[in-house]
Amino acid sequence: MEILKQILSSDLGSTFNDASFLVFRVLLAIQLFRVHGLKKFRLENGQREVIPNPLGLPDQLNAIVASFADLVVPFLIILGLGTRLAVLPTIGVTAIGYFVVHRKDSLEVRDVPFMYTLSLLLVLALGAGRYSLDYYLLNLL
């Protein structure tokens, strides 16, 4: 029970900080979903997005992890539901994008996964804040 409280708790210090972080979380999640999540559905030239598999995972597992990270996690971030745990798969996907998939690309190309990874690490470190389902669940415990 104590571990659950640690995962759900988040003290950003003031109402302004909590409100600012809510806006940050929501905008980050919307952008992640719009730019990367919707690619999973869009067809370009009659084909779906090719999901890189640099770790050599089974193709189905790789597609599930990438889809979960880009389609489901953004909604969990917006709601602030299980936020610290929810961002972990997306941090993994974006960090692998930065360190493995785009390691030889220009800084302009590497910038996108780098900024997502940093932003998601901030969410991991701070939690969801007061304006989240995590906060309300914590107060129910």
Side-chain angles (χ1 to χ4, degrees), residues 2 18 32 42-43 65 83 126:
E2 195 59 37
D18 284 304
L32 178 64
R42 258 187 252 137
L43 295 178
V65 171
T83 311
L126 297 179

Side-chain angles (χ1 to χ4, degrees), residues 13-35:
S14 72
T15 303
F16 177 79
N17 290 350
D18 284 304
S20 298
F21 202 65
L22 170 64
V23 171
F24 175 80
R25 273 188 9 243
V26 169
L27 294 177
L28 174 66
I30 289 170
Q31 187 70 4
L32 178 64
F33 179 77
R34 283 183 52 216
V35 174

Side-chain angles (χ1 to χ4, degrees), residues 68-79:
F68 180 79
D70 294 341
L71 293 168
V72 176
V73 169
F75 291 102
L76 296 174
I77 293 171
I78 289 169
L79 295 172

Side-chain angles (χ1 to χ4, degrees), residues 1 6 26 28 31-32 34 40 43 53 58 67 74 89 91 95-96 107 113 119 129 132:
M1 187 62 90
Q6 288 289 336
V26 169
L28 174 66
Q31 187 70 4
L32 178 64
R34 283 183 52 216
K40 308 297 186 266
L43 295 178
N53 190 357
S67 296
I91 289 171
I96 289 168
L107 287 177
S119 297
S132 67

Side-chain angles (χ1 to χ4, degrees), residues 50-133:
V50 175
I51 300 171
N53 190 357
L55 301 181
L57 298 172
D59 289 337
Q60 188 75 13
L61 177 61
N62 186 62
I64 289 170
V65 171
S67 296
F68 180 79
D70 294 341
L71 293 168
V72 176
V73 169
F75 291 102
L76 296 174
I77 293 171
I78 289 169
L79 295 172
L81 180 59
T83 311
R84 283 192 169 112
L85 295 176
V87 298
L88 292 175
T90 309
I91 289 171
V93 168
T94 59
I96 289 168
Y98 179 75
F99 289 110
V100 181
V101 176
H102 297 292
R103 75 180 176 278
K104 294 181 181 178
D105 291 338
S106 69
L107 287 177
E108 290 81 13
V109 173
R110 295 178 79 202
D111 186 53
V112 173
F114 178 73
M115 293 308 295
Y116 274 117
T117 303
L118 282 181
S119 297
L120 292 164
L121 285 170
L122 181 65
V123 173
L124 176 67
L126 297 179
R130 185 180 305 150
Y131 303 118
S132 67
L133 289 178

Side-chain angles (χ1 to χ4, degrees), residues 3-10 82 84 134-135 137-138 141:
I3 292 173
L4 186 59
K5 287 182 181 181
Q6 288 289 336
I7 291 171
L8 296 176
S9 70
S10 180
R84 283 192 169 112
D134 286 351
Y135 180 82
L137 290 173
L138 178 64
L141 296 177

